[in-house]
Amino acid sequence: AGLGRLRPAILGVVGLLLTAIGSAQGVQGVDPKDLLHPPADSWLTFHGDYSGRRHTSLAEITPQNVGALQQVWRFQTGQNQAIKASPILANGILYVTTPDNIWAVDARTAKELWHYQNPPNNAFHIGHRGAAVYKETVYLTTPDCHLIALNAKDGKVKWNIVIADFKKGYWSTNAPLIVGNHVMVGVSGDFDNLPGQLKSVDADTGATQWIFYSTPPPGQKEPASGGATGGQMWTTGTYDPVLNLVYVGTGNPTPVLNGGVRPGNNPWTCSIVALNPDTGKLVWGFQASPHDTHDWDASEVPVLADANFRGQPRKLLMQASRNGYFFVLDRTNGKSLLTVPFATVNWAKGIDAEGHPIPDPAKYPSKDGVLVAPNESGATNFRPPSFDPKTGLFIVSAQDGYGIYFFKSDHGAYGWAGADYGVAGKAFLRAIDYQTGKIVWNHPIGDGAGTAGVLTSDTGLTFSGDITGNAMAFRTSDGATLWHQAIGRMNNGPITYQLDGRQYVVVGGGSSLYAFALPKGETPK
């Protein structure tokens, strides 16, 4: 009888416990709809959202109070590898990666929640861009070209698949892009003559859905390619949900410096391609560097914006490319709207009617060497830019540099096939007017090539870093320095989010992750 009287109470407690357990489990979940409209307490993709703009509407940190930013925590990976990844934030947990490693970290305290380490392997460990999240799963690519699905709650492996054969010369640094139930991952591979590929797998099972090859797949020949291989897709793309198109930059052709064995423009290397994420089919392509002979990947971020362009509403795609040119395209069809240099260039004879730079054969690598701008590291590279729609400024870590390129017949027709030597380089944070391509301001950040990405805000701030190891905040309108903090060299893009009403800015410095915020009680000014 006593148990009978207690049964409703027991059932009520059990119900509450089940609800609490369900909520606790759900804490790790990411609603796929949130990828379309990320909430303020998150940073759900490599770029923060699908557009690639790396721009925030969070308004607590302003030009007037940014000088008061202070470090609130530091997370040390204990690894030799620098953090090149943009951390992912979901449900109060940060996921940060280095090659073969991922950590789940409390975003409020930097307490480590779990750590997964891929088994040792002999693949190329050049760096890593970050993870991806979907529902209750975190996805990690590895140098030996695996894609691993981990339980977001505890880091346990759900499944592990091969993206490509690393023994053939592929490796992976990619932060996956998730669209619907498609997990899209690219690879790298410059040292061997390998076709570029982007693979899409089912988010729940890892089953292959499609593979897009930027150059002909093994066993196939396409006369248009001129015999080129390469065109690897190692940087995370962007996505337009209205057009249902994914935009990805492709890498250089191989053999890299020996253009003579691969005549023609070598599509789709050094290009921006638009793909249907449901089928992997090419919708359009635009080649940034036809017949590249200088290792100038067009893998830089294809940034999307809906804006007026010279008085007409347009769906725009913008890219500051490694070859030194700034491109503005109509992303519905890939047609050129603007092509203009944003850094020192001397390799092109002009711009053709379709907006492509025209290579100057006098600047091809030669036996005696030829002086070329930019150098091999490029006018920009892996560090992501930002676009501020309020000012119309596209802000990029740029370099004015020269290199000497060599090629002679005994260098062969395989892999690198040549040599290059950088002889000069000056780094800048550079603001470009997207309407004209004109440089609005330059902020010198040191000698050589920068490595820090860029973040902008509605309040008029730009966050990045310099070569000497400072995290920095600039006034977006004119590039004036407003705050800096020595943390070690930044190799990633800053992110920002709001938790418990407080805005955080998180950056990588060396092998540590740093969080900055205003002192508690500080109000926007």
Side-chain angles (χ1 to χ4, degrees), residues 289-306:
S289 293
H291 190 68
D292 172 60
T293 55
H294 301 96
D295 188 30
W296 290 329
D297 303 325
S299 296
E300 293 69 45
V301 181
V303 178
L304 313 183
D306 294 341

Side-chain angles (χ1 to χ4, degrees), residues 70-76 87 94 105-111 497 499 504-507 512-517:
Q70 60 183 216
Q71 181 182 319
V72 293
W73 56 250
R74 176 186 180 187
F75 176 74
Q76 296 174 282
L94 283 163
V105 178
D106 188 301
R108 294 173 173 86
T109 66
K111 177 184 177 182
Y497 54 86
L499 284 176
Y504 294 78
V505 176
V506 175
V507 300
S512 294
L513 201 64
Y514 295 82
F516 296 93

Side-chain angles (χ1 to χ4, degrees), residues 419-474:
D420 65 87
Y421 301 95
V423 295
K426 295 286 186 181
F428 301 87
L429 199 64
R430 187 161 281 167
I432 307 169
D433 180 341
Y434 83 99
Q435 297 268 6
T436 64
K438 292 182 179 179
I439 307 302
V440 175
W441 54 258
N442 273 308
H443 189 108
I445 56 173
D447 294 335
T451 52
V454 187
L455 170 75
T456 57
S457 76
D458 268 355
T459 61
L461 287 171
T462 295
F463 292 92
S464 190
D466 66 13
I467 288 176
T468 59
N470 290 295
M472 303 182 73
F474 307 88

Side-chain angles (χ1 to χ4, degrees), residues 168-492:
K168 292 182 178 179
Y170 286 108
W171 69 91
S172 185
T173 65
N174 203 235
L177 176 67
I178 299 178
V179 173
N181 73 327
H182 309 289
V183 182
M184 285 165 272
V185 285
V187 290
S188 303
D190 259 356
F191 308 122
D192 303 276
N193 294 351
L194 299 166
Q197 69 169 62
L198 183 74
K199 176 178 282 190
S200 177
V201 306
D202 186 282
D204 295 318
T205 67
T208 298
Q209 296 168 327
W210 50 259
I211 301 175
F212 169 75
Y213 290 97
S214 56
T215 52
Q220 293 187 25
K221 292 185 177 181
E222 296 175 11
S225 73
T229 50
Q232 307 299 343
M233 288 160 277
W234 51 267
T235 299
T236 308
T238 50
Y239 174 60
D240 183 330
V242 176
L243 298 175
N244 194 34
L245 290 178
V246 166
Y247 305 93
V248 185
T250 72
N252 55 274
T254 48
V256 181
L257 304 184
N258 183 2
V261 298
R262 45 175 176 82
N265 287 343
N266 311 135
W268 291 105
T269 65
C270 292
S271 298
I272 301 163
V273 295
L275 308 177
N276 183 319
D278 298 318
T279 64
K281 299 298 184 182
L282 178 71
V283 176
W284 59 256
F286 176 88
Q287 196 162 33
S289 293
H291 190 68
D292 172 60
T293 55
H294 301 96
D295 188 30
W296 290 329
D297 303 325
S299 296
E300 293 69 45
V301 181
V303 178
L304 313 183
D306 294 341
N308 285 329
F309 187 82
R310 299 178 181 175
Q312 182 178 346
R314 292 275 196 175
K315 288 184 172 294
L316 302 176
L317 182 152
M318 297 168 280
Q319 185 192 68
S321 201
R322 186 167 169 175
N323 66 10
Y325 283 88
F326 176 67
F327 299 98
V328 181
L329 308 178
D330 182 329
R331 71 174 184 270
T332 67
N333 54 25
K335 300 300 182 183
S336 172
L337 301 174
L338 178 70
T339 300
V340 64
F342 71 94
T344 303
V345 296
N346 72 357
W347 64 273
K349 296 191 294 183
I351 307 299
D352 70 17
E354 296 179 339
H356 309 104
I358 304 168
D360 183 352
K363 295 299 182 181
Y364 291 168
S366 70
K367 179 179 179 180
D368 295 327
V370 60
L371 187 66
V372 179
N375 57 29
E376 186 271 335
S377 63
T380 189
N381 204 298
F382 64 86
R383 57 257 187 206
S386 179
F387 177 67
D388 179 358
K390 294 188 74 171
T391 63
L393 295 179
F394 185 104
I395 301 176
V396 62
S397 172
Q399 180 191 200
D400 293 328
Y402 286 86
I404 301 176
Y405 284 81
F406 293 90
F407 177 77
K408 55 184 179 179
S409 57
D410 61 4
H411 281 145
Y414 206 82
W416 197 259
D420 65 87
Y421 301 95
V423 295
K426 295 286 186 181
F428 301 87
L429 199 64
R430 187 161 281 167
I432 307 169
D433 180 341
Y434 83 99
Q435 297 268 6
T436 64
K438 292 182 179 179
I439 307 302
V440 175
W441 54 258
N442 273 308
H443 189 108
I445 56 173
D447 294 335
T451 52
V454 187
L455 170 75
T456 57
S457 76
D458 268 355
T459 61
L461 287 171
T462 295
F463 292 92
S464 190
D466 66 13
I467 288 176
T468 59
N470 290 295
M472 303 182 73
F474 307 88
R475 189 164 49 224
T476 301
S477 60
D478 59 9
T481 302
L482 302 178
W483 170 83
H484 65 91
Q485 179 74 47
I487 60 169
R489 191 160 182 174
M490 285 177 59
N491 291 277
N492 74 337

